[in-house]
C-alpha cells in the first residue's frame, strides 16, 4: 500500500477505536492530503457522515479545479451516497482499499469516466471482516440493510 492508502487505513482504525465503523478516506491534491476523515455516523449520530463525506467536509471549500485534479482514497468501495459526492465534485480518480466485504457503485463511477483502482489490500479486508463479525447489526445499519 502507498502512503495515502495507509493514511486512509489509519483513519479507518480511528473510527473503530472510537466505537464507529472502520472506513477511512483521504483526498489528495498535488501529492498532498487536503482532507482526511473516517465514518462517524455512530460517534456523531449522523445519517450521512461516511468516511468519504468526512474527508470532503474536512477538506473544506475548495475551487472546482482542486477537486477535478484530486484523487480520493478510501478503504472500502464507495456507497451510492459517496459515489454521488465524487461525481458531483468531479473527482477523476478513486483508489479503493477493497471491495470484497462490500461492493459499492464502482460501475457507476466508471461509466461516468472516473478511474477506479481496487487494491484488495489485506489490511483493509481484515479490518472490515473483523468489524462485520463483531458488529453485524451496526454494519447492516450503515449500509441500509435490515
Amino acid at each position: 500500500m502507498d502512503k495515502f492508502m495507509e493514511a486512509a487505513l489509519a483513519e479507518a482504525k480511528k473510527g473503530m477505536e472510537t466505537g464507529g465503523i472502520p472506513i477511512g478516506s483521504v483526498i489528495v491534491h498535488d501529492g498532498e492530503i487536503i482532507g482526511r476523515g473516517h465514518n462517524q455516523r455512530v460517534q456523531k449520530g449522523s445519517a450521512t457522515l461516511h468516511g468519504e463525506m468526512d474527508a470532503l467536509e474536512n477538506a473544506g471549500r475548495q475551487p472546482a479545479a482542486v477537486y477535478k485534479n484530486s484523487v480520493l482514497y478510501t478503504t472500502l468501495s464507495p456507497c451510492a451516497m459517496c459515489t454521488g459526492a465524487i461525481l458531483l465534485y468531479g473527482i477523476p480518480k478513486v483508489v479503493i482499499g477493497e471491495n470484497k466485504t462490500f461492493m459499492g457503485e464502482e460501475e457507476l463511477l466508471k461509466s461516468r469516466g472516473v478511474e477506479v483502482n481496487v487494491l484488495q489490500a489485506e489490511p483493509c479486508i481484515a479490518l472490515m471482516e473483523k468489524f462485520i463479525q463483531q458488529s453485524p447489526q451496526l454494519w447492516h445499519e450503515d449500509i441500509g440493510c435490515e
Side-chain angles (χ1 to χ4, degrees):
M1 285 192 309
D2 71 16
K3 66 181 181 179
F4 299 124
M5 186 54 71
E6 287 176 359
L9 184 58
E11 286 293 323
K13 290 176 180 176
K14 275 188 204 176
M16 191 165 186
E17 289 165 3
T18 57
I21 297 152
I23 303 167
S25 182
V26 298
I27 301 168
V28 177
H29 179 259
D30 286 340
E32 299 292 325
I33 295 174
I34 62 168
R36 61 179 66 231
H38 54 274
N39 186 306
Q40 295 196 68
R41 290 185 64 252
V42 173
Q43 298 91 320
K44 294 192 175 182
S46 170
T48 59
L49 205 50
H50 284 190
E52 299 91 337
M53 304 300 275
D54 192 37
L56 283 164
E57 180 70 19
N58 291 327
R61 289 180 59 195
Q62 299 291 332
V66 169
Y67 289 119
K68 291 183 187 314
N69 289 294
S70 293
V71 179
L72 184 138
Y73 288 75
T74 181
T75 57
L76 187 64
S77 186
C79 72
M81 176 179 64
C82 296
T83 293
I86 292 163
L87 294 174
L88 177 68
Y89 290 107
I91 297 171
K93 182 176 179 179
V94 177
V95 180
I96 299 168
E98 66 105 348
N99 63 9
K100 179 180 173 191
T101 60
F102 176 79
M103 174 59 79
E105 298 296 328
E106 294 173 29
E107 290 306 315
L108 176 57
L109 289 169
K110 291 175 187 176
S111 77
R112 298 283 296 273
V114 176
E115 180 183 343
V116 176
N117 294 337
V118 182
L119 304 177
Q120 298 301 19
E122 190 55 42
C124 296
I125 296 168
L127 185 63
M128 280 309 300
E129 285 178 342
K130 177 181 177 183
F131 172 76
I132 292 167
Q133 182 180 28
Q134 291 176 344
S135 304
Q137 187 173 16
L138 187 56
W139 170 239
H140 288 136
E141 174 190 322
D142 194 61
I143 59 172
C145 292
E146 301 261 344

